[in-house]
Amino acid sequence: MSAETARITKEQLIAELNNDLAKEYQALIQYVQHAAVITGPQYDAIAAELVVHSNEEHQHAISLSDQIDFLGGVPAVDVAEVHVSEVSKVMLEQDLDGELDAIRRYKTRIGQAESLQEYGLRRALEDILIIEEEHARDLQNALDL
Ligand SMILES: [Fe+2]
Ligand SMILES: [Fe+2]
């Protein structure tokens, strides 16, 4: 465990979780928009999958809001900047960037929860991380990466 991880306070962790929450709302909205406008027969399967992703981001927002409340914080209602494009491939790249960022953030957050002995939070974050990794794989497959 790094010194930086060990130094985090509960208040700092709540602030980080609210930042994560804003990005879950961003992802939810972004997937709804991308699923609706993405075009091209090669993207039919992933278009349906983006709707599934959107619903899962909604579940993540609910889980994070509950966890922030359990920690004594107030869940925020901010939405991080949503990325849109007129180019289907670019949309998927924007979505993948978001997922890779989420994976990095949640790995850090799991370490921070562990350092504060918030094991219930850690478990909730691990469940979210598993889904974000699936999302990233879906997008990488659709992009032939
Ligand atoms: Fe998510
Ligand atoms: Fe995701």
Side-chain angles (χ1 to χ4, degrees):
M1 186 187 305
S2 73
E4 189 178 346
T5 299
R7 274 203 306 274
I8 195 166
T9 66
K10 188 184 271 195
E11 288 67 33
Q12 288 169 328
L13 180 56
I14 289 168
E16 295 285 3
L17 290 168
N18 265 322
N19 178 54
D20 296 328
L21 178 56
K23 292 186 174 180
E24 292 294 346
Y25 286 131
Q26 170 206 341
L28 187 173
I29 293 166
Q30 193 169 307
Y31 277 129
V32 169
Q33 203 267 359
H34 288 185
V37 303
I38 198 166
T39 51
Q42 71 274 42
Y43 296 126
D44 279 351
I46 191 68
E49 199 59 44
L50 298 186
V51 175
V52 175
H53 288 199
S54 175
N55 284 319
E56 288 169 333
E57 310 304 7
H58 184 185
Q59 294 305 313
H60 297 169
I62 292 168
S63 175
L64 287 178
S65 295
D66 284 343
Q67 291 296 326
I68 290 165
D69 179 70
F70 295 156
L71 287 171
V74 178
V77 292
D78 302 315
V79 182
E81 184 186 353
V82 177
H83 300 292
V84 298
S85 173
E86 294 177 359
V87 180
S88 296
K89 182 168 178 283
V90 173
M91 291 178 210
L92 297 179
E93 290 167 347
Q94 291 169 333
D95 295 336
L96 179 58
D97 284 347
E99 295 296 346
L100 296 178
D101 175 62
I103 289 165
R104 281 191 296 271
R105 282 184 289 102
Y106 288 125
K107 285 181 176 177
T108 299
R109 217 66 72 231
I110 287 165
Q112 292 166 335
E114 170 92 25
S115 77
L116 289 173
Q117 296 187 302
E118 294 289 348
Y119 299 118
L121 172 62
R122 182 187 68 182
R123 173 66 178 272
L125 292 167
E126 287 169 348
D127 288 346
I128 294 174
L129 176 63
I130 290 167
I131 302 299
E132 308 302 17
E133 288 176 340
E134 288 179 8
H135 291 174
R137 277 195 294 273
D138 290 341
L139 292 161
Q140 285 163 339
N141 288 340
L143 287 163
D144 283 325
L145 295 176

